[in-house]
Amino acid sequence: MQLKQDLKKHIICKLKGENKMARYAQACPIIYGEGSLNLLGNETKKLGCSKVMVVSDKEIIKLDFYSKALKNLKEAGIKVVEFSKIIPDPPDYIINEGGKLAQKEDIDGIIAIGGGSPMDAAKAINILVNNPLPINNYFGQPVYNPGVPVIMISTTAGTGSESTSIAVVTDTSNNAKNSVICNASLGILDPETTLTLPVENTANTGIDTLAHAAEAITAKEGNPKSELLAKDAIIKVINNLPLAISDPRNLVARSNLLIASNFAGIAFNDSLVHLGHAIAHAIGAKFHITHGVICGLALPEVMIYAAGVKAEKVKIVAEAMGIIFKENENSSKIAEKAAKSIREFLKKVNIKSCKELDIPRDEFIGTAKMVISDPCYQFIPKKLNEREVKNILEKIYDNY
């Protein structure tokens, strides 16, 4: 209970802008390496679980490693309840359905197998194991009865959800993305589970990692651990994402991207993401565009905006991407070089423009109020009015 009270106080202080100290931690232990999926059964038993809900989606359950995971659990004597109804940007009604099933089956553990959506869904469902439905009651609310152990098996390299204290849920009543506050108990990162990830998804999730890291470095309240991990994550994405796209079975590239995703997740769990994610949440909720794509499209203009107040941090992002600066370059030049480099990288990995995604320009710009109302907007490094947000949205649409 004391931990939850401290967490609530920390979040309130952040929202009020009162936190002057850097905080960093790692909420979820991680097991990383080829073949680490084989440890699932034993690790689940170590957490005291005997009957678990496996949360996934219709595509993941068709893959060999999913069957391998279930076999491993059953061989360890653990009963399994499957819930594979998760869809991208998991909506509240699916979380509630999962919560009802978890209560009915009296589970004592949850295992997520998949990308960000199954992992977020698993954490959200866990809130409902020992608390009344619906999940909407817990948006932004860190105080509730504890759930059960949750194990994350990440099959993409983008969200870092195994290491964050947030689960994003689509609030269908308000047609917006919201979030609940929760942690996983263990993350298992086996790069072999990412080898079958399609090229387009590889690109989208890799760009999500890049955005997490860049925003973590430039957030209102950064810290040295976040900066260190985020910088390394950027380097790994730049060096490995094109390789994973051209050679999808390259295990070295896949391994580096998975670590990059995890490092960026740990980084932004403390310093938090800001304007780019507020934009991505708004656009994603309105147009149902893949999260990582919008994060990436927003990133050049977000770095230009951030350079107006944190040029030295934008310079760190750019240097991690391989940009070499001359001595004493001003903030405008830093912003220009960073934005140019990001746009070039996005095109290198075939990220489509807003026009190519068939998003109407006026409607795109019209999401400004949604952006401002998104929780991530509270952590932007410099406040903006609605007109200024619209200007940034216009540039995102026109300049790529």
Side-chain angles (χ1 to χ4, degrees), residues 25-36:
Q26 183 165 338
C28 178
I30 298 295
I31 300 173
Y32 164 79
E34 296 172 39
S36 54

Side-chain angles (χ1 to χ4, degrees), residues 160-291:
S161 186
E162 68 279 355
S163 290
T164 69
S165 299
I166 296 293
V168 178
V169 177
T170 299
D171 176 1
T172 57
S173 298
N174 298 299
N175 193 29
K177 288 189 178 182
N178 214 314
S179 58
V180 290
I181 300 166
C182 45
N183 290 308
S185 308
L186 177 68
I188 295 179
L189 305 181
D190 187 339
E192 292 178 350
T193 69
T194 68
L195 291 175
T196 56
L197 190 67
V199 167
E200 185 176 4
N201 292 0
T202 298
N204 296 344
T205 53
I207 294 301
D208 195 13
T209 294
L210 179 65
H212 286 158
E215 290 183 47
I217 291 171
T218 57
K220 182 163 69 173
E221 296 178 20
N223 67 70
K225 181 180 178 182
S226 291
E227 189 171 298
L228 179 68
L229 291 174
K231 182 177 179 180
D232 190 72
I234 293 171
I235 293 170
K236 282 181 166 60
V237 171
I238 297 301
N239 290 337
N240 291 278
L241 184 56
L243 182 57
I245 290 171
S246 63
D247 181 13
R249 302 292 299 182
N250 188 310
L251 193 57
V252 173
R254 293 290 192 180
S255 298
N256 284 327
L257 289 174
L258 193 55
I259 284 293
S261 172
N262 181 250
F263 281 6
I266 296 170
F268 87 79
N269 191 54
D270 289 314
S271 60
L272 301 176
V273 286
H274 53 92
L275 181 60
H277 272 67
I279 291 169
H281 290 158
I283 299 301
K286 186 172 179 63
F287 300 105
H288 306 291
I289 303 297
T290 302
H291 176 73

Side-chain angles (χ1 to χ4, degrees), residues 46-78:
K46 285 180 185 178
L47 290 170
C49 304
S50 59
K51 185 179 183 180
V52 300
M53 172 186 281
V54 177
V55 177
S56 195
D57 61 44
K58 295 297 185 184
E59 296 305 315
I60 290 294
I61 63 174
K62 299 174 185 176
L63 301 175
D64 289 343
F65 62 75
Y66 179 85
S67 300
K68 181 180 177 181
L70 264 58
K71 181 181 178 183
N72 194 268
L73 288 167
K74 291 172 183 177
E75 287 178 347
I78 296 167

